[in-house]
Amino acid sequence: MTDSGPVVFKFGGTSVGGGHRIRDSARLVAAAEATPVVVVSAMAGVTTELTRIAALPSGSSRTDALRTLLERHREAARLVSDEDVPGGPHSDRPALERRIEAVGEALARGLEDDGDPRIRTDALVARGEDLSAALMAAALRSLGVPAREVDARKVVRTDAGFGQAIPRDEVTVRLAWKHLFPLVSKGVVPVMQGFIGADDQGRTTTLGRGGSDFTAAIVGAALEARQVTIWTDVDGIYSADPNRIPGARIIQELGFEEAVELAYFGARVIHPAAAKHAVARGVSLRIRNSFNPEAPGTLIRSDRRETPGVAALAYKPGTALIRVRSRPHFMAYGFLSRVFQVLARHGVPVDLVATSHTSTAFTVDRGEELSLVEEALREVAEVKVVDGLGTVSAIGRGLLETPGVTGEIFRVLGSTPVHLISQASDTSLSFLVSEAEGPEVVRRLHETLVEGPSA
Ligand code: ADP
Ligand code: ASP
Ligand code: MG
């Protein structure tokens, strides 16, 4: 991080959810002190819809769904390029409309492609970000802000892990300087798609759902940005999901480690890979509300907060627990290494682990394909899988040495069955409960640990 580097503004799906929203977000860019690099998500719901369309067989429902999706973008195009800026330059609306039609044709062609489905899906889904970037660039120009679209495929170089591609750091840094920096230094706003990149062969890849935050962090780190601002639909990071816990409080400043833990344990407001990437490279992040730009938001930076204790609670449903008990002839160390070799071979990421001399329990995302893993594990162990669980995490500072935190958690849990408890650092403590009880457990913990006895 430098004091003089550029800034990056990332707008999430709701912040570019329609013509008016794109316009409002463009105004935030116009009002920025320095020329930002702009990274946009697809309009809210578009990635999900494109993923659905990509899986539909050819026929009238696919054609209709595509038509509706394009119409939504045409409608936004009419609003963003309204020629209502008194005396200001106007965006080239016919060019924008031609662009939307061209993307529509590319989508229709892509749907007919019968090649590798993962490659095909990424190429199709990425069109959502192509469209929103074109709309944002047009909105900026119609406000009189010089803006140029920069294709993320030319900047974010990834491996060929379609659907969950991993950026290649060095080449991406070089490409970011080459394609973005010269524009910023001339006062031209580069507008780039989030979430997408390209592999060495130029094939479009995507970084995983919610990945536009990751793009912003990648670009921010590459350009040694002064700050990356994540513009979203809430006032910042709260002590719990504000859409689920009415008493949630805004957190003004959060330490690097806390932010990474919170992201990994389910606070959707920032993508885990983005938090980790920014933190590892010392880039400060600010989360702000594009619907309420007066609010200062949450600053994530290296300094830890002064006050120890629980800062936030996170909840991640969709967790599966795998319990493995070693066959008698395995020693503990040999057993653990065998178990993790199996997981590594199948590329299954593990979230939480607890282990004893003869047993190990760990959690994985329910979405993972587990049958082969189970089969391989059965060669060395007795295996039991428990599904339908949620991970509850308390995140904060000094959780190990803060008196009473664990006691309070267990008191609140009372007789609620807990399937695993894990605490690897003093920044987070996590445990598993059934999905049926998860939200209520979070609410009660929040009341006790965050809102306090006076609540
Ligand atoms: P965007 O489309 O802007 O990327 P997301 O939907 O990915 O937005 O993330 C914002 C959402 O994250 C909020 O609307 C909120 O419901 C959810 N969220 C979950 N946990 C938290 C938290 N601790 N603080 C703020 N928002 C949270
Ligand atoms: N549009 C992508 C998604 O919905 C990326 C993002 O919004 O961050 O997952
Ligand atoms: Mg998001």
PDB file of all heavy atoms in Angstrom, residues 10 210 213 268-269, ligand 3:
ATOM      1  N   LYS A  10     -15.109  -0.822  -6.468  1.00  0.00           N
ATOM      2  CA  LYS A  10     -15.816  -1.995  -6.979  1.00  0.00           C
ATOM      3  C   LYS A  10     -17.309  -1.861  -6.653  1.00  0.00           C
ATOM      4  O   LYS A  10     -17.678  -1.570  -5.512  1.00  0.00           O
ATOM      5  CB  LYS A  10     -15.242  -3.266  -6.350  1.00  0.00           C
ATOM      6  CG  LYS A  10     -15.971  -4.543  -6.767  1.00  0.00           C
ATOM      7  CD  LYS A  10     -16.947  -5.005  -5.716  1.00  0.00           C
ATOM      8  CE  LYS A  10     -17.852  -6.116  -6.175  1.00  0.00           C
ATOM      9  NZ  LYS A  10     -18.743  -6.615  -5.118  1.00  0.00           N
ATOM     10  N   GLY A 210     -19.311 -14.439  -6.428  1.00  0.00           N
ATOM     11  CA  GLY A 210     -18.921 -13.328  -5.555  1.00  0.00           C
ATOM     12  C   GLY A 210     -17.521 -12.812  -5.872  1.00  0.00           C
ATOM     13  O   GLY A 210     -16.970 -11.972  -5.153  1.00  0.00           O
ATOM     14  N   ASP A 213     -15.241  -8.992  -5.939  1.00  0.00           N
ATOM     15  CA  ASP A 213     -14.438  -8.436  -4.838  1.00  0.00           C
ATOM     16  C   ASP A 213     -12.981  -8.852  -5.025  1.00  0.00           C
ATOM     17  O   ASP A 213     -12.055  -8.067  -4.787  1.00  0.00           O
ATOM     18  CB  ASP A 213     -14.880  -9.017  -3.478  1.00  0.00           C
ATOM     19  CG  ASP A 213     -16.268  -8.591  -3.053  1.00  0.00           C
ATOM     20  OD1 ASP A 213     -16.785  -7.621  -3.616  1.00  0.00           O
ATOM     21  OD2 ASP A 213     -16.824  -9.240  -2.139  1.00  0.00           O
ATOM     22  N   ARG A 268     -21.014 -12.672   3.693  1.00  0.00           N
ATOM     23  CA  ARG A 268     -20.939 -12.524   2.235  1.00  0.00           C
ATOM     24  C   ARG A 268     -20.444 -11.147   1.786  1.00  0.00           C
ATOM     25  O   ARG A 268     -20.000 -10.969   0.653  1.00  0.00           O
ATOM     26  CB  ARG A 268     -22.359 -12.761   1.699  1.00  0.00           C
ATOM     27  CG  ARG A 268     -22.435 -13.092   0.249  1.00  0.00           C
ATOM     28  CD  ARG A 268     -23.845 -13.405  -0.150  1.00  0.00           C
ATOM     29  NE  ARG A 268     -24.695 -12.228  -0.132  1.00  0.00           N
ATOM     30  CZ  ARG A 268     -25.880 -12.176   0.437  1.00  0.00           C
ATOM     31  NH1 ARG A 268     -26.358 -13.214   1.075  1.00  0.00           N
ATOM     32  NH2 ARG A 268     -26.596 -11.069   0.388  1.00  0.00           N
ATOM     33  N   VAL A 269     -20.548 -10.169   2.694  1.00  0.00           N
ATOM     34  CA  VAL A 269     -20.243  -8.784   2.341  1.00  0.00           C
ATOM     35  C   VAL A 269     -18.848  -8.615   1.730  1.00  0.00           C
ATOM     36  O   VAL A 269     -18.621  -7.715   0.935  1.00  0.00           O
ATOM     37  CB  VAL A 269     -20.477  -7.854   3.556  1.00  0.00           C
ATOM     38  CG1 VAL A 269     -19.534  -8.192   4.709  1.00  0.00           C
ATOM     39  CG2 VAL A 269     -20.406  -6.406   3.190  1.00  0.00           C
TER      40      VAL A 269
HETATM   41 MG    MG B   3     -20.559  -9.860  -3.160  1.00  0.00          MG
END
